[in-house]
Amino acid sequence: MSILGKILGGIFKKKDAPVQPAPTAAPTAAPAQAPVVTAAAATSPQPEPVDVAGILDFMNDQREQTLNWRTSIVDLMKLVGLESSLAERKELADELGYTGDKSDSAAMNIWLHKQVIWKIIDNGGQLPRDMTP
């Protein structure tokens, strides 16, 4: 699983569904015509909004050390139980298409936090307006 996937999973508490093995028996009858999928049928409904700030604040309240997840990618990663080492952040930067200088960790961290916030929003997360990049 990708680092971003682990972050989102830690927030939304989603687990990858186990891969089901393909059936070994052949189907008894093949359909005469493949079903037609329309654009309306192909689109999935929008996920219900999730109060991400509430979830992360609750998680933060359960810790002895308060983390500044609202502005720090390092603290956000720690809060959801991930390693936040420079190597892990560089891997996350590669996943998200960072083209800047990875040796400038401050600039990379700011960029990573903004990108992860956007991905949280894209996946149905609600955050306070002042957190929207």
Side-chain angles (χ1 to χ4, degrees):
M1 177 184 271
S2 70
I3 295 174
L4 178 62
K6 290 176 185 176
I7 293 170
L8 295 177
I11 294 168
F12 296 106
K13 301 298 181 200
K14 293 180 183 176
K15 302 285 185 206
D16 283 346
V19 178
Q20 298 295 326
T24 56
T28 55
Q33 187 177 23
V36 176
V37 178
T38 63
T43 59
S44 60
Q46 291 294 325
E48 289 293 317
V50 175
D51 178 14
V52 172
I55 291 168
L56 293 175
D57 284 341
F58 177 78
M59 291 169 68
N60 208 9
D61 289 343
Q62 305 307 305
R63 297 179 53 91
E64 288 183 27
Q65 175 191 16
T66 301
L67 299 173
N68 189 9
W69 67 268
R70 291 173 182 257
T71 59
S72 168
I73 189 66
V74 171
D75 285 359
L76 178 58
M77 291 174 76
K78 285 180 184 179
L79 187 58
V80 297
L82 298 179
E83 182 183 333
S84 60
S85 68
L86 181 58
E88 290 291 306
R89 286 179 278 129
K90 285 181 178 182
E91 187 175 330
L92 178 60
D94 289 338
E95 280 181 36
L96 297 175
Y98 184 65
T99 59
D101 180 5
K102 290 183 199 153
S103 64
D104 182 357
S105 63
M108 182 180 70
N109 288 347
I110 291 167
W111 185 89
L112 283 173
H113 191 268
K114 286 180 183 179
Q115 295 304 307
V116 169
I117 293 299
W118 276 119
K119 296 296 182 184
I120 290 169
I121 292 168
D122 289 347
N123 282 277
Q126 281 187 321
L127 291 165
R129 182 167 283 157
D130 64 341
M131 285 192 65
T132 306

